[in-house]
Amino acid sequence: EAAFLIDTQGFILEANHEMARRFGLTREEALGRCAFDLIPPEVAKERLRQAQIVVETGKPRRFVDRRGNRIIDNIISPVFGADGRVARLAMLGIDVTDRQSAEEALRLAYDELETRVAQRTADLEEANRKLQEENNERKRAVKQIEQELLAAMLGAVDGLHEPQNLTGRPNQWQADWQRRKDYRDNGH
């Protein structure tokens, strides 16, 4: 993290090496410079506005901005003088670019996963619907085959001559068959 202390005009009073490195300076070169002159004007304008709010309210501020292709999480805290007024500002800039990129990649991966799950669910539901249709069609086909076989068997049985046993009298099988035939012929 880049940490530095500025006066209310923005001049750097103290800085760590990371702060100086981010601006391509040594720590000694950073001291005494205006912090807002080291950053692009559009970024400087917003950071200066945030610093003025801290000076006016005496309350810390936290905000995120971009400097070039980097995303910086900024914290500005007031440092009060002996008179109770804000005399300096402690500034901390945390480069969250990698974290933000990782969070974005994670969000995109999650969205992609959600899309894939939804598509796979729809595919499975469609496959299940088709299997149900095929199963119902098979049941109808089996029922039709059973009915056709039964009809063919009954037709074949109706065409049989009633055999006699060797004595010339109808046997028990013939008597049972006749009862069934009579039952069916009478509309049952």
Side-chain angles (χ1 to χ4, degrees):
E1 292 89 17
F4 53 105
L5 183 67
I6 62 172
D7 65 16
T8 56
Q9 303 303 309
F11 289 96
I12 300 170
L13 304 172
E14 277 298 331
N16 68 1
H17 291 288
E18 177 60 21
M19 181 271 181
R21 186 196 64 75
R22 284 192 189 172
F23 295 106
L25 303 170
T26 65
R27 181 183 168 280
E28 291 72 25
E29 291 171 332
L31 297 178
R33 289 185 136 179
C34 180
F36 303 112
D37 291 342
L38 298 175
I39 53 180
E42 64 277 1
V43 177
K45 183 178 177 181
E46 177 58 20
R47 288 189 187 179
L48 180 57
R49 187 181 76 76
Q50 294 287 345
Q52 287 171 339
I53 292 171
V54 174
V55 170
E56 291 169 7
T57 64
K59 295 181 180 176
R61 302 280 294 174
R62 185 173 194 164
F63 59 97
V64 175
D65 64 17
R66 288 184 176 268
R67 187 170 55 85
N69 61 352
R70 308 307 293 174
I71 302 168
I72 309 297
D73 183 6
N74 298 282
I75 303 169
I76 304 175
S77 299
V79 177
F80 298 96
D83 61 0
R85 295 181 358 179
V86 176
R88 296 183 179 113
L89 298 172
M91 303 186 83
L92 178 65
I94 304 166
D95 187 339
V96 294
T97 306
D98 294 338
R99 182 175 58 196
Q100 291 278 352
S101 296
E103 288 172 358
E104 179 65 14
L106 183 60
R107 188 188 62 74
L108 291 173
Y110 179 80
D111 291 347
E112 173 67 21
L113 180 61
E114 285 291 316
T115 300
R116 286 182 178 184
V117 166
Q119 182 60 50
R120 185 66 179 140
T121 299
D123 292 347
L124 289 171
E125 287 172 348
E126 177 64 16
N128 190 39
R129 185 189 62 75
K130 286 180 180 179
L131 286 172
Q132 290 286 345
E133 286 178 6
E134 289 175 13
N135 191 35
N136 291 338
E137 183 59 33
R138 282 190 183 105
K139 286 179 181 178
R140 285 190 291 273
V142 166
K143 187 169 185 115
Q144 183 177 355
I145 290 169
E146 287 174 345
Q147 290 172 348
E148 290 172 3
L149 283 173
L150 183 59
M153 289 170 55
L154 291 175
V157 170
D158 284 343
L160 289 178
H161 290 35
E162 295 183 7
Q164 301 279 325
N165 63 16
L166 294 177
T167 63
R169 291 177 285 155
N171 61 26
Q172 184 60 42
W173 177 85
Q174 290 169 322
D176 290 343
W177 174 251
Q178 188 61 48
R179 275 195 308 276
R180 286 188 191 112
K181 186 175 183 300
D182 291 344
Y183 181 78
R184 192 179 66 242
D185 290 345
N186 288 328
H188 293 33

